[in-house]
Amino acid sequence: MFHSKITGLGFYVPDNVVTNEDLSQLMDTNDEWIQERTGIQERRHVIRGEDTTTTMGVKAAKIAIERANIDKDEIDFIIFATLSPDYYFPGPGVLVQRDLGLKTVGALDIRNQCSGFVYALSIADQYIKTGMYKNILIIGSELHSHGLDMTTRGRGVSVIFGDGAGAAIISRETDLSKGILSTHLHSEGQHAEELALIAPGMGKRWVTDIIHENDPNDESYFPYMNGQFVFKNAVVRFTEVINEGLQANQLEVADINMLIPHQANLRIAQFIQQKFRLTDDQVYNNIMKYGNTTAASIPIALTEAWEQGKIKEGDLVVLAAFGSGFTWGSAIIRW
Ligand code: UT7
C-alpha cells in the first residue's frame, strides 16, 4: 500500500481580461452588483481560435510535468475533468494524450463540474495507493465563455464564470504520513436541474429538436442556475464535507494550514471561513481575478497558493468543492 502526493502543479489562463465594466457593455449589469454579490472583479475569456479546453489543459499540464521533474513518458494515466469539452465525444483526455505526445496510456474523462478536480484527485489516489500506477496527470479545464448567454437574460450566470485550466501530477509516496490522507465524495441528484445545461442531450432536447424548432428564444442550451438555492446548499455541504474530512483523520480545524475552497462565490468562501473561524492566512481565494472556473478553480488556486509560498512541506491542506449535480467533496492532504 502506498500514499499519493501532488508533486507538480501548473495553471494557465487566457490573456484576455474581461472586467465587470466590459460585461456591462453587453448586458444590464454593473460592477457594484457583481462585486457585492460575488466578489468577482474580472475573469478571462478565450479569444475564439486561440485556445480550447484541451489546449489550456495541455499548457497547464506542461508546467506541472516540468515541476514534478518527471519525463512525460513516466505518466501512467490521464484524468481530465471538465463540463466544457472540445467535442461531445471523444472527451479531452485522448486529445491530451495526442497533444502531449504521451505513450498510449489510459485516458479517463470525468464530469462532476465544480467538484471535478476533487473527484479526479480521489480517483488518482486510488490507483496510486493500490500500486497500479506511479504517476498520474490530472487536469481541470473549462472554456465557459463561448457557451454563456451574454445578454441580460443570462446575466445571473454569465457574469460568474471564467475560462482557465489547472493541472497536477500525482505520484507514489512511500511515507504514509504524507500525501493525500483521505478524500470524501458525495452526490444528490435530486437537485440535478437546479444547476444544469439541459441541451443538447439525449434526455429532454435532442440536437434534432433544436434544429427543427430553430427557436431564437430557446434557452435550453445555455446553463441554468437557481442561484439562491445553490448558494444555500453550498454553504451546508462545504461545511459538512470539511468536517467529515477532519474527523476521518482525527484532526481539528486549528490543524488546517490552508483551505482551498472551490471558487464559486467569494461570499460562500467567506461564510465558510467565518463558520470555521479561520484566519485570512488559512484560506486562499482568487475568484476576484478569474471568476468561477468550475473544475479548474481548485487547481488554479492551489497552484497560485503554492507559487506564493503559502503552502509548505508538512502543511495540512484541505480542498473542498460543491457544484452542479449536486456533487461535493473534500481532500485532506499532508503536504
Ligand atoms: O460553482 C457552482 C456553484 N455555484 C454557486 O455556488 C453559486 C451560488 N449562487 C450565487 O452565487 C448567487 O445566488 C448569485 C451570485 C448567482 C446571485 O446572487 P443573488 O444574491 O442570489 O441574486 P438573485 O439571483 O436573487 O438576484 C437578485 C436580483 C434579481 O433582480 P430582482 O428580481 O430582485 O429585481 C436579478 O434579476 O439581481 C438581479 N440580477 C442581476 N443584476 C445585475 C441577477 N444577475 C444580475 C447581474 N447584474 N449580473
Side-chain angles (χ1 to χ4, degrees):
M1 190 81 167
F2 303 100
H3 263 197
S4 58
K5 69 174 174 193
I6 296 175
T7 51
L9 284 165
F11 83 97
Y12 169 82
V13 288
D15 291 336
N16 181 36
V17 175
V18 177
T19 63
N20 295 342
E21 176 61 27
D22 293 333
L23 291 180
S24 71
Q25 309 296 315
L26 302 172
M27 62 189 84
D28 181 13
T29 190
N30 56 77
D31 180 54
E32 194 190 350
W33 190 98
I34 300 173
Q35 286 217 45
E36 193 185 305
R37 308 279 176 137
T38 71
I40 300 167
Q41 294 165 12
E42 57 189 42
R43 73 288 291 142
R44 306 298 177 97
H45 283 180
V46 163
I47 292 174
R48 194 166 185 158
E50 288 191 0
D51 263 312
T52 69
T53 295
T54 299
T55 65
M56 289 193 290
V58 164
K59 286 173 188 173
K62 283 181 177 165
I63 299 167
I65 294 167
E66 197 185 322
R67 286 176 173 165
N69 206 16
I70 58 167
D71 188 273
K72 63 184 169 68
D73 285 340
E74 293 176 74
I75 293 171
D76 301 313
F77 196 59
I78 304 160
I79 306 175
F80 202 120
T82 188
L83 61 72
S84 51
D86 295 20
Y87 307 137
Y88 200 99
F89 73 85
V94 297
L95 306 180
V96 168
Q97 182 274 329
R98 178 179 69 189
D99 292 359
L100 278 176
L102 302 186
K103 293 186 297 187
T104 58
V105 296
L108 176 68
D109 298 292
I110 62 161
R111 306 281 297 263
N112 307 96
Q113 300 70 246
C114 301
S115 314
F117 188 80
V118 174
Y119 267 74
L121 194 65
S122 180
I123 298 165
D125 185 38
Q126 311 315 312
Y127 280 125
I128 301 262
K129 266 187 195 157
T130 57
M132 183 163 170
Y133 295 131
K134 267 190 180 166
N135 299 297
I136 298 179
L137 168 62
I138 66 175
I139 298 173
S141 179
E142 303 287 1
L143 200 168
H144 287 302
S145 56
H146 294 301
L148 297 172
D149 180 358
M150 288 293 181
T151 69
T152 298
R153 185 181 65 180
R155 66 183 180 174
V157 174
S158 50
V159 301
I160 296 168
F161 293 94
D163 302 338
I169 298 291
I170 316 300
S171 305
R172 181 182 289 179
E173 168 65 65
T174 48
D175 179 347
L176 300 187
S177 68
K178 287 185 183 163
I180 297 171
L181 303 182
S182 65
T183 55
H184 308 270
L185 307 179
H186 295 277
S187 71
E188 190 176 27
Q190 187 188 341
H191 305 308
E193 286 81 15
E194 302 295 348
L195 175 46
L197 198 157
I198 299 296
M202 304 308 165
K204 290 195 171 144
R205 284 186 59 71
W206 295 23
V207 175
T208 44
D209 294 335
I210 293 167
I211 295 169
H212 179 67
E213 289 164 27
N214 193 23
D215 175 3
N217 297 316
D218 187 356
E219 295 179 51
S220 64
Y221 40 81
F222 289 122
Y224 165 78
M225 176 164 71
N226 181 349
Q228 291 195 3
F229 185 75
V230 175
F231 193 110
K232 283 178 197 153
N233 278 270
V235 292
V236 172
R237 298 308 192 185
F238 266 113
T239 308
E240 280 176 8
V241 85
I242 293 167
N243 274 328
E244 182 184 350
L246 291 174
Q247 280 162 17
N249 296 285
Q250 288 92 46
L251 291 163
E252 309 274 331
V253 172
D255 295 320
I256 299 176
N257 297 103
M258 179 56 74
L259 168 67
I260 311 263
H262 159 56
Q263 300 291 288
N265 181 324
L266 190 59
R267 307 296 160 233
I268 295 176
Q270 287 169 336
F271 178 92
I272 300 161
Q273 179 175 342
Q274 279 165 12
K275 177 125 191 158
F276 284 98
R277 295 171 197 261
L278 296 167
T279 64
D280 289 347
D281 292 340
Q282 287 173 289
V283 186
Y284 189 81
N285 291 305
N286 60 7
I287 190 170
M288 305 75 92
K289 295 188 289 181
Y290 304 127
N292 178 343
T293 58
T294 314
S297 98
I298 287 182
I300 293 175
L302 185 61
T303 307
E304 273 198 352
W306 175 80
E307 284 174 351
Q308 292 169 15
K310 294 184 174 183
I311 299 175
K312 295 174 285 302
E313 191 159 355
D315 278 358
L316 187 76
V317 178
V318 176
L319 312 180
F322 174 87
S324 163
F326 294 149
T327 59
W328 63 100
S330 64
I332 312 295
I333 305 169
R334 180 65 69 191
W335 208 261

